[in-house]
Amino acid sequence: ETGVTQTPRHLVMGMTNKKSLKCEQHLGHNAMYWYKQSAKKPLELMFVYSLEERVENNSVPSRFSPECPNSSHLFLHLHTLQPEDSALYLCASSQDPGQGGSPLHFGNGTRLTVT
Amino acid sequence: GQNIDQPTEMTATEGAIVQINCTYQTSGFNGLFWYQQHAGEAPTFLSYNVLDGLEEKGRFSSFLSRSKGYSYLLLKELQMKDSASYLCAVLDSNYQLIWGAGTKLIIKP
């Protein structure tokens, strides 16, 4: 299997639930990312991991908690979410986040609905 | 602040040519990317420009003018499968990607 794989594809959760999103990359990349995509808005960077260390946290609420156990796997743990957190959550990887020209490779995303 | 502007939606006819514009105001510049995203799917990389000029890749070409803060993506011989959103993103001086909101391209027969 190649590329970036995200599970689940769809998730519906209540505001009191706890769930986790999973991402796996088979490209040998050094960096992994979580993005939030809402309709008609630019992609919002949430977290960046480079060589398994978090290098970016763009003021994301603490109800989102990332975990990067190794360079191939990335998780986003969710708890006590709000309805406005409903969006498409995209995972991506790249060879080197500090190098120009290194494109992102995205997974198909998890469509999250918070009820 | 940093800003990327691109049209929200465009419509074109199968077989025709369409140009999707992107203007940017960022803190520094280390290159500009175009991505294609079909509905319900992952964005996929189309092109990267860091020097002025036109880069051609089959039916798709991307142009950059750094002095004008301007890029366009040119799609020729449009096919129905080109219906998608096209995302423009600029790498700023800190190697942070600044994204536009995307242009939804509708192709009509």
Side-chain angles (χ1 to χ4, degrees):
Chain A
E1 191 174 351
T2 58
V4 180
T5 304
Q6 285 186 246
T7 54
R9 288 298 307 273
H10 301 273
L11 179 61
V12 179
M13 58 187 289
M15 289 190 282
T16 57
N17 291 157
K18 288 185 182 180
K19 296 285 184 184
S20 295
L21 310 185
K22 180 183 175 183
C23 177
E24 189 173 353
Q25 61 101 357
H26 305 274
L27 300 168
H29 287 163
N30 296 325
M32 296 188 76
Y33 309 74
W34 280 116
Y35 276 94
K36 177 183 179 182
Q37 188 174 36
S38 303
K40 299 184 180 179
K41 284 184 163 183
L43 285 173
E44 297 174 48
L45 179 64
M46 300 176 73
F47 302 103
V48 181
Y49 278 82
S50 179
L51 297 172
E52 300 156 47
E53 288 197 19
R54 189 191 303 182
V55 296
E56 187 82 32
N57 177 357
N58 284 351
S59 302
V60 179
S62 59
R63 56 187 184 267
F64 295 91
S65 174
E67 179 189 358
C68 187
N70 55 62
S71 60
S72 299
H73 292 86
L74 186 65
F75 295 89
L76 188 63
H77 303 299
L78 317 171
H79 64 97
T80 59
L81 294 191
Q82 303 299 310
E84 60 263 29
D85 297 323
S86 297
L88 182 68
Y89 288 84
L90 291 164
C91 173
S93 69
S94 72
Q95 186 56 43
D96 185 344
Q99 187 176 51
S102 180
L104 296 176
H105 294 255
F106 287 89
N108 281 331
T110 295
R111 172 67 63 186
L112 175 66
T113 303
V114 181
T115 60
Chain B
Q2 308 203 85
N3 193 50
I4 308 281
D5 283 316
Q6 47 181 136
T8 303
E9 188 174 297
M10 299 182 71
T11 302
T13 305
E14 192 177 13
I17 299 173
V18 71
Q19 177 175 310
I20 303 174
N21 295 326
C22 171
T23 57
Y24 62 88
Q25 293 172 306
T26 56
S27 303
F29 179 84
N30 278 302
L32 184 145
F33 293 87
W34 284 97
Y35 286 82
Q36 179 191 60
Q37 185 178 22
H38 286 101
E41 296 184 15
T44 55
F45 169 72
L46 287 178
S47 66
Y48 170 72
N49 294 67
V50 67
L51 299 177
D52 290 351
L54 186 68
E55 298 263 351
E56 296 187 67
K57 228 187 243 186
R59 294 189 298 114
F60 291 10
S61 303
S62 56
F63 171 83
L64 175 67
S65 168
R66 288 171 297 171
S67 62
K68 294 182 180 177
Y70 168 69
S71 172
Y72 66 73
L73 183 68
L74 190 72
L75 291 72
K76 301 178 185 176
E77 301 168 18
L78 285 170
Q79 301 175 11
M80 297 303 293
K81 67 179 182 180
D82 298 329
S83 292
S85 288
Y86 292 86
L87 312 179
C88 173
V90 171
L91 207 55
D92 71 7
S93 58
N94 293 319
Y95 291 94
Q96 303 295 311
L97 264 179
I98 312 300
W99 292 85
T103 298
K104 183 178 180 181
L105 178 64
I106 299 168
I107 309 297
K108 295 187 173 177

